[in-house]
Amino acid sequence: MTLPRHALLAAAAALAVSTAPAVHAQAAGPLKVGLMLPYTGTYAALGNAIENGFRLYIAEQGGKLGGREIAFVKVDDESDPAKATDNVNKLIKRDNVDVLVGTVHSGVVAGMAKAAKDSGTMLIVPNAGADAVTGPMCAKHIFRSSFSNWQPGYAMGEVVAKKGHKKVVTITWKYAAGDESVGGFKESFTKAGGQIVKELTVPFPNVEFQALLTEIASIKPDAVYTFFAGGGAVKFVKDYAAAGLKKTIPLYGAGFLTDGTLDAQGADADGLLTTLHYGDSLDTPRDKSFRLAYATAYKLQPDVYAVQGYDAAQMLGIGLAATKGDIAKKAEFAAALEKARIDSPRGAFTIGKSHNPVQDIYLRQVVGKENKVVGVASKALADPGRGCRM
Ligand code: PHB
């Protein structure tokens, strides 16, 4: 296959940008982006996909946003909340970054948001769904390019209720992301008359599921709802099938359960229904060109994390274009994003009052190696932003 010229250029630029020497910087100097992401542990693949997506967009812009070259400083946060404050302060105080981009884990992002608020540093969150970031911790200079934990869960509660299921068991990691994903599910599912008969949890990042799967088998609910992601999601889907549950008790999840994981899950994921703000078969010109450019640059298929990284860079670009590269102009930066329509591979979205994406949540079904979009579970779903006062 011959690749279109733009895809080749983007690929070459994506690879070149990481080594671009600082001597090419403009008078203002390069804008320093502090990437705080997990590069080790159960979420390592997610961190890498986010960075790839972020770099791809910048490469497509010729290496500059708002007229500024972009320089990177990176920290591996290991998805460890106990190290979050130290890690983010390395970027803020030691490296003097202009903007923080991170992270994946909801417990870690809480430390980042606090440090961003205390220091006034711009923060763009390319994954972590912690409801508080666009709730009680919201701020004019904090934005999210991904989702709130509540969003996919809430959309799935309606889907599962419409399927006629009455009694559901939930199972997840015991931390903010799991709790809030289940919280969103529970809100819409119980509103529609459903009942949560048991809420099961394991500590993060534990993957010893056997005892809990035995418990699910003995409860015999109509269905199970789950939040797991990354390496943990791979193990959970495989264990659920191996325990014989896949044939008897339908499993539903927030889409992270099957995103970026299908190669490793194989047939054990086949047929699973999940809700998420992205899918593999959107078939729009925007998504197709993104997927081609990403695959060309990295020899990998993109997933939701790559899209969120790409869109974090788009959002930074929109803010910097409005401020002509001056990130200290926080009010202008925020005003530009608040009225923007972000041309995402997922479909265009806007940024709500609390700075979380207002977006369609798709219903997807695993078919082979794809999360095939089978419908829109929730159109233009906005996080309620409870507790946000700016
Ligand atoms: C989170 O901790 O907020 C989180 C982590 C991984 C995901 C989604 C949410 O895939």
Side-chain angles (χ1 to χ4, degrees):
M1 174 176 96
T2 345
L3 292 167
R5 191 174 144 73
H6 78 271
L8 290 171
L9 286 175
L15 297 174
V17 72
S18 59
T19 53
V23 286
H24 292 314
Q26 290 209 315
L31 183 98
K32 245 194 208 186
V33 174
L35 287 180
M36 181 158 149
L37 292 166
Y39 294 105
T40 52
T42 200
Y43 289 159
L46 289 59
N48 283 310
I50 289 168
E51 179 175 345
N52 286 347
F54 195 88
R55 286 186 186 270
L56 177 64
Y57 182 74
I58 292 169
E60 288 176 352
Q61 307 309 304
K64 287 185 187 176
L65 298 179
R68 306 260 317 255
E69 298 270 353
I70 305 294
F72 291 98
V73 190
K74 287 167 56 166
V75 165
D76 175 10
D77 69 35
E78 304 167 50
S79 295
D80 185 348
K83 297 181 184 161
T85 303
D86 280 351
N87 280 329
V88 72
N89 279 327
K90 282 184 205 157
L91 294 171
I92 296 172
K93 296 187 176 147
R94 182 193 67 191
D95 301 324
N96 250 308
V97 299
D98 297 299
V99 54
L100 293 163
V101 175
T103 186
V104 168
H105 186 287
S106 275
V108 178
V109 88
M112 289 187 81
K114 172 149 193 338
K117 277 189 107 157
D118 291 350
S119 63
T121 313
M122 187 75 68
L123 168 63
I124 304 177
V125 180
N127 185 72
D131 291 349
V133 167
T134 52
M137 302 188 81
C138 75
K140 271 282 170 200
H141 62 286
I142 297 180
F143 300 89
R144 185 149 51 199
S145 68
S146 51
F147 59 92
S148 73
N149 291 323
W150 179 92
Q151 280 177 312
Y154 187 87
M156 189 47 108
E158 294 182 334
V159 170
V160 173
K162 273 193 207 120
K163 296 241 174 234
H165 300 306
K166 300 280 184 247
K167 291 184 190 305
V168 164
V169 168
T170 63
I171 177 166
T172 187
W173 275 315
K174 183 73 205 148
Y175 83 104
D179 292 346
E180 293 168 359
S181 181
V182 166
F185 177 86
K186 199 170 165 178
E187 188 178 326
S188 58
F189 185 60
T190 56
K191 198 154 68 184
Q195 191 191 346
I196 307 291
V197 291
K198 186 95 193 185
E199 296 184 35
L200 301 170
T201 59
V202 287
F204 177 87
N206 194 323
V207 289
E208 297 312 314
F209 302 124
Q210 217 45 58
L212 298 181
L213 292 174
T214 305
E215 197 173 342
I216 290 172
S218 75
I219 297 171
K220 296 192 182 59
D222 299 337
V224 168
Y225 174 76
T226 189
F227 165 88
F228 286 107
V234 171
K235 174 87 169 25
F236 183 76
V237 163
K238 295 194 81 66
D239 286 4
Y240 196 85
L245 292 175
K246 190 171 176 229
K247 285 189 250 88
T248 50
I249 306 172
L251 175 65
Y252 300 91
F256 314 107
L257 187 69
T258 56
D259 227 82
T261 56
L262 291 176
D263 283 340
Q265 288 164 333
D268 290 341
D270 236 345
L272 290 182
L273 283 170
T274 64
T275 40
L276 203 64
H277 46 288
Y278 188 59
D280 294 318
S281 59
L282 288 172
D283 226 19
T284 57
R286 182 71 184 96
D287 189 46
K288 278 193 197 154
S289 70
F290 163 76
R291 293 184 76 92
L292 179 60
Y294 190 92
T296 307
Y298 302 112
K299 311 285 176 273
L300 286 170
Q301 288 304 312
D303 55 20
V304 70
Y305 309 105
V307 171
Q308 293 168 174
Y310 187 84
D311 292 338
Q314 291 211 67
M315 287 166 64
L316 180 59
I318 289 167
L320 287 173
T323 57
K324 301 202 170 41
D326 185 357
I327 202 153
K329 293 189 172 147
K330 292 205 192 77
E332 287 99 316
F333 190 104
L337 277 171
E338 284 163 7
K339 60 173 195 283
R341 197 169 166 274
I342 291 135
D343 186 20
S344 170
R346 76 187 83 171
F349 68 90
T350 56
I351 303 289
K353 278 202 280 293
S354 62
H355 290 180
N356 191 67
V358 178
Q359 57 193 343
D360 293 349
I361 306 291
Y362 303 105
L363 178 63
R364 310 112 44 88
Q365 182 158 39
V366 176
V367 180
K369 291 289 150 64
E370 283 207 337
N371 284 291
K372 199 168 162 21
V373 173
V374 295
V376 177
S378 207
K379 187 99 195 121
L381 185 64
D383 180 83
R386 291 174 188 128
C388 168
R389 315 234 178 297
M390 280 194 208

